[in-house]
Amino acid sequence: MSRTVDRLLTAAGVLATSARIQIAEMRSSTIVIVFTFVQPAALLAVTLLPMDGRTPQRVAGVVFGVLLTAFWTATVWGAASVLRRDRAMGTLARSMTGVVDARLVVVGKGLGSSLVTVVLVGVTIALVLLVMRQPVALAHPVWLVVGMLTVLASGAAVGLLVGSIFVLTRYGPQVSSVLMYPVFLLGGMLIPPEVLPAAVRWVSYGISMRWLQQFLVGAAAGHVSLPALGAAIALTVAYAVAGAAMFSRFVARARRDATLDVF
């Protein structure tokens, strides 16, 4: 029992330390300003200004759609940039050969990036709504907190999964773009899934942001959809399991082929 507790405490310490390092690194990143201030402010303005009959409930749908869209952008781009930077600086190789599971470092950095993104995008959205004097419905704040915690966890899991693809490639930014825009269209965040063509509508069911959007909008309006939350959690777990397995395979290959300066 004591060994299990010690391992859990060690893992929590690694996650917290990695998250703090990532937060410190993001302070000097100019791209963070684009993803957390410019993009959400522009999306919110161009979506709300032409809208007729803006009710607090309808505005809540737009708000969470913009938040999740900006969050997805930062998550995918961050997964590529974080591991690319770690690889260039040699810290990725040290993490792979250290006594601590390298996956904990990646997940910790993903949590740190997710937390910064959600906070900054939330501040941006609040300021835009204040300037527009537009109220927003928040009927169940406790459930909204649960939903946002699931957003953070899902972002970290996606970061591990997507980041694993970038471990052995030099084309992280290009792959990021390929992954980013289809989710904008098919993820059900700003474009309702029911208006998508039937041939591609099924894709949204495998995207956790689609279910998180449904849950958050419902909770804000007063209707808590536990099936949507359960689907988002299940997909998050699936992302994490797939990412952990893929990362382990890439680490084994790196050690075998002596790449990433791992000898």
Side-chain angles (χ1 to χ4, degrees):
M1 180 64 71
S2 60
R3 289 184 178 180
T4 301
V5 173
D6 289 341
R7 289 177 180 176
L8 290 175
L9 291 176
T10 300
V14 173
L15 290 174
T17 300
S18 301
R20 288 198 300 269
I21 292 173
Q22 180 60 24
I23 291 172
E25 290 178 352
M26 292 179 71
R27 293 176 183 172
S28 59
S29 176
T30 56
I31 198 67
V32 173
I33 298 176
V34 176
F35 290 155
T36 60
F37 292 104
V38 178
Q39 185 192 58
L43 284 175
L44 195 59
V46 299
T47 306
L48 283 182
L49 288 176
M51 181 184 293
D52 295 327
R54 293 198 300 261
T55 64
Q57 290 76 19
R58 293 186 65 189
V59 172
V62 174
V63 163
F64 288 114
V66 169
L67 187 149
L68 293 176
T69 299
F71 180 78
W72 173 256
T73 303
T75 298
V76 174
W77 190 268
S81 61
V82 166
L83 289 180
R84 188 174 69 253
R85 181 186 303 172
D86 287 353
R87 179 179 181 177
M89 297 178 64
T91 55
L92 181 61
R94 292 183 177 89
S95 297
M96 288 182 175
T97 56
V99 296
V100 177
D101 192 334
R103 291 171 294 189
L104 291 175
V105 178
V106 177
V107 171
K109 288 192 172 186
L111 286 173
S113 177
S114 297
L115 181 59
V116 171
T117 301
V118 165
V119 171
L120 294 181
V121 173
V123 170
T124 301
I125 291 174
L127 291 175
V128 173
L129 292 176
L130 184 62
V131 170
M132 296 180 65
R133 298 182 180 180
Q134 177 62 61
V136 60
L138 298 173
H140 290 295
V142 175
W143 283 111
L144 289 174
V145 171
V146 173
M148 292 309 302
L149 290 176
T150 307
V151 169
L152 295 177
S154 188
V158 169
L160 177 61
L161 176 60
V162 175
S164 298
I165 302 174
F166 303 147
V167 174
L168 297 180
T169 181
R170 297 180 180 179
Y171 305 102
Q174 290 79 7
V175 177
S176 295
S177 299
V178 171
L179 293 173
M180 194 180 303
Y181 296 102
V183 173
F184 287 172
L185 298 175
L186 305 176
M189 294 174 285
L190 288 176
I191 302 176
E194 56 268 19
V195 305
L196 295 173
V200 297
R201 191 179 305 162
W202 61 272
V203 177
S204 68
Y205 291 105
I207 301 174
S208 63
M209 299 301 167
R210 178 240 198 262
W211 300 106
L212 287 167
Q213 168 76 357
Q214 180 178 330
F215 174 78
L216 291 169
V217 173
H223 309 289
V224 177
S225 176
L226 293 181
L229 179 62
I233 293 174
L235 286 171
T236 297
V237 172
Y239 298 159
V241 172
M246 187 177 296
F247 192 84
S248 296
R249 188 175 68 177
F250 284 163
V251 169
R253 182 186 300 178
R255 289 173 173 171
R256 183 192 66 209
D257 299 339
T259 56
L260 293 172
D261 297 328
V262 180
F263 295 96

